[in-house]
Amino acid sequence: MAVDYTVIVVYLAGMLAMGWWGMRRAKSKSDFLVAGRRLGPTMYSGTMAAIVLGGASTIGGVGLGYQYGLSGAWMVFTIGLGLLALSLFFSARIARLKVYTVSEMLDLRYGGRAGVISGLVMWAYTLMLAVTSTIAYATIFDVLFDMNRTVAIILGGSIVVAYSTLGGMWSITLTDMVQFVVKTIGVLLLLLPIAVVKAGGFSEMKASLPTGYFDPLGIGGETIFTYVLIYTFGMLIGQDIWQRVFTAGSDRTAKWGGTVAGTYCLVYALAGAVIGTAAKVLYPKLASPDDAFATIVKDELPVGVRGLVLAAALAAVMSTSSGALIACATVANNDIWSRLRGVVRRDGDTGEHDEVRGNRAFILVMGLAVIGTAIALNNVVEALTVAYNLLVGGLLVPILGGLLWKRGTAQGALAAVAVGGLAVVGLMATYGILANEPVYYGLLSSLAVYVIVSLLTPATDAAVLAAWRERLAGRGSEPASAFEKESVTR
């Protein structure tokens, strides 16, 4: 295992080095939070794919393949569909708004009265997303070093907090690009073919497993519908995803770079399901489907390759964890703390204090909160389900309504967030956290309230809508970046 340990240690050291290098580029709020809005297509595609394909997509995707066969790809597949929809239909408009958070977009669209509650909902979502990613370190480090769960969470979480705090989005972008390469090599180019060969090829896999394992709809229509509702729509509105869209150097980069990343997700989804199916042939009686990834890596891969593939799993977890962390800190600082202090900063007004230092402090504080919560929390699935149910049930309608329906009002948006969020929480208490009904009924109630209240209240002020159209047309302004005159990063 010495060679495998060396690969992992070099990888982790590289992540910290990237964080230190990124710190030198983060000279303004724009640099720190959205990488100066200057990413070119290659870096944008790689980092976008890295953040959406986390530990759940890698370890969980293989586990679903182990349990359901090829139809286990649906969870990650719906993530890819959501990213494709976001990139093709909304990303260019989102990038032109020149904002930092989803709540700022709601403020622009509805006249500055819809962002507070939405900020709290988005903060809860990003916090839980970061927590669930951080918990996954325990699984990986247990395979590597037989490490205590708490120590593993502290170690993995501290590395992510360190490089994220140092350089913000620049550090996260650089590390995500490395993580994207490591995941591609480790999972797609190494683990996938080796797993299939070890299982005897596709003919042997078909002969050894029930036919349901090769039914593309074997996981069940209701499950697929729920995945679409939660993950596809969740990709359209999550702060962690939007903050990556804000890094695009142009409309074209946001649209086509995201399309490439979404297509990559579809391939990754199928790869995870095939690896899980191969693991079912090799290890038919594992205690838990989520053990499939670690088991096949530990038992079937040669020395060195095993270390690289485990580094790929670590990369998947770190990319999602760091993206969720900076999103959580950005929302906490810009949408909650600044409002509590009675200071709503606008483009061109950076305030008297150091914006970068303030955001850096929030990442550190939120990072410590994430590590502490991850240590205390055991049920990852329940935490992630609560996060996505709140996000989709509370925020999907007012966000998409703001982008697509000019008659939507601030009162309608606030009512939709409140009613949808409360309905989801109440129904989870009634039906259970993992039930499908909370998000179904929560979303329907949010939509009904948004439409009815919007039609019953005065239309949004014409001046607000005019300013909104100006921003959508890309005529908004923001503070100049220290690197604004440099060429777009490729």
Side-chain angles (χ1 to χ4, degrees):
M1 292 289 289
V3 175
D4 296 324
Y5 292 160
T6 301
V7 171
I8 298 295
V9 170
V10 168
Y11 167 75
L12 294 176
M15 295 300 98
L16 291 174
M18 289 288 184
W20 183 263
W21 189 85
M23 182 177 65
R24 301 175 60 188
R25 300 188 66 88
K27 303 298 184 182
S28 72
K29 179 180 179 180
S30 178
D31 289 326
F32 192 82
L33 294 182
V34 290
R37 307 188 195 274
R38 297 184 301 105
L39 295 191
T42 301
M43 288 196 74
Y44 180 85
S45 297
T47 57
M48 182 62 87
I51 187 177
V52 300
L53 296 174
S57 299
T58 304
I59 298 171
V62 171
L64 287 172
Y66 182 89
Q67 188 173 3
Y68 298 104
L70 297 185
S71 67
W74 273 106
M75 184 188 77
V76 184
F77 201 83
T78 55
I79 291 174
L81 292 178
L83 187 52
L84 285 172
L86 175 71
S87 301
L88 291 172
F89 302 117
F90 299 107
S91 62
R93 280 183 284 178
I94 292 170
R96 287 196 294 266
L97 291 173
K98 295 290 190 292
V99 295
Y100 293 100
T101 68
V102 174
S103 294
E104 287 180 18
M105 167 263 169
L106 291 173
D107 278 348
L108 280 170
R109 169 60 181 82
Y110 295 111
R113 290 175 290 172
V116 180
I117 297 178
S118 65
L120 289 170
V121 174
M122 191 64 77
W123 175 79
Y125 158 72
T126 53
L127 179 70
M128 284 297 100
L129 186 61
V131 166
T132 54
S133 301
T134 303
I135 291 174
Y137 296 128
T139 301
I140 298 170
F141 283 115
D142 178 59
V143 174
L144 284 170
F145 307 116
D146 193 24
M147 187 178 290
N148 175 269
R149 178 182 183 274
T150 299
V151 175
I153 289 173
I154 292 173
L155 175 60
S158 297
I159 292 171
V160 169
V161 172
Y163 72 69
S164 300
T165 302
L166 285 172
M169 187 60 82
W170 267 121
S171 293
I172 293 170
T173 296
L174 295 169
T175 53
D176 277 0
M177 196 63 199
V178 174
Q179 289 159 357
F180 169 74
V181 173
V182 171
K183 280 194 286 192
T184 301
I185 295 173
V187 175
L188 296 185
L189 302 183
L190 292 175
L191 182 57
L192 175 61
I194 290 174
V196 172
V197 170
K198 291 284 187 177
F202 285 105
S203 58
E204 179 62 28
M205 290 164 62
K206 286 185 177 180
S208 303
L209 296 172
T211 56
Y213 267 75
F214 302 92
D215 179 359
L217 302 178
I219 199 170
E222 184 178 356
T223 299
I224 294 170
F225 179 73
T226 303
Y227 284 158
V228 170
L229 203 59
I230 293 177
Y231 296 113
T232 300
F233 286 124
M235 287 295 105
L236 299 179
I237 59 175
Q239 169 67 25
D240 51 325
I241 309 302
W242 276 42
Q243 200 157 343
R244 292 311 172 94
V245 176
F246 300 152
T247 67
S250 67
D251 293 357
R252 184 177 179 84
T253 295
K255 182 175 183 178
W256 297 113
T259 300
V260 171
T263 304
Y264 178 90
C265 291
L266 303 183
V267 175
Y268 200 89
L270 185 58
V274 171
I275 293 168
T277 304
K280 183 67 176 179
V281 175
L282 295 168
Y283 313 100
K285 296 183 179 180
L286 290 178
S288 168
D290 286 340
D291 293 337
F293 180 88
T295 302
I296 197 168
V297 169
K298 196 172 184 178
D299 293 350
E300 303 297 336
L301 299 185
V303 173
V305 173
R306 179 171 50 207
L308 184 59
V309 173
L310 287 172
L314 201 56
V317 175
M318 283 186 161
S319 57
T320 299
S321 180
S322 59
L325 176 59
I326 193 172
C328 179
T330 302
V331 171
N333 188 12
N334 289 266
D335 295 334
I336 300 175
W337 175 242
S338 65
R339 296 173 193 274
L340 291 176
R341 292 171 60 233
V343 179
V344 180
R345 296 180 187 83
R346 303 188 185 280
D347 290 340
D349 175 19
T350 58
E352 295 180 358
H353 70 290
D354 186 337
E355 289 274 7
V356 173
R357 183 171 59 189
N359 282 290
R360 185 173 281 138
F362 265 87
I363 289 181
L364 179 59
V365 171
M366 289 297 105
L368 294 176
V370 165
I371 292 173
T373 307
I375 292 171
L377 199 64
N378 286 319
N379 198 314
V380 180
V381 176
E382 288 191 359
L384 194 61
T385 301
V386 170
Y388 270 101
N389 282 354
L390 279 173
L391 177 70
V392 174
L395 291 181
L396 178 68
V397 170
I399 291 173
L400 293 188
L403 289 169
L404 300 174
W405 190 41
K406 66 179 181 179
R407 186 60 182 82
T409 66
Q411 294 88 341
L414 286 170
V417 174
V419 171
L422 290 174
V424 164
V425 172
L427 290 168
M428 282 192 293
T430 303
Y431 288 97
I433 290 176
L434 298 180
N436 294 327
E437 287 85 356
V439 71
Y440 294 168
Y441 299 137
L443 187 56
L444 287 174
S445 63
S446 178
L447 176 61
V449 168
Y450 179 73
V451 172
I452 293 170
V453 174
S454 292
L455 292 175
L456 292 177
T457 52
T460 304
D461 186 83
V464 172
L465 288 177
W468 167 253
R469 286 192 292 268
E470 285 288 302
R471 297 299 285 266
L472 281 179
R475 290 189 283 269
S477 61
E478 67 170 327
S481 163
F483 292 90
E484 201 70 38
K485 295 182 180 180
E486 291 183 8
S487 59
V488 173
T489 302
R490 297 293 175 184

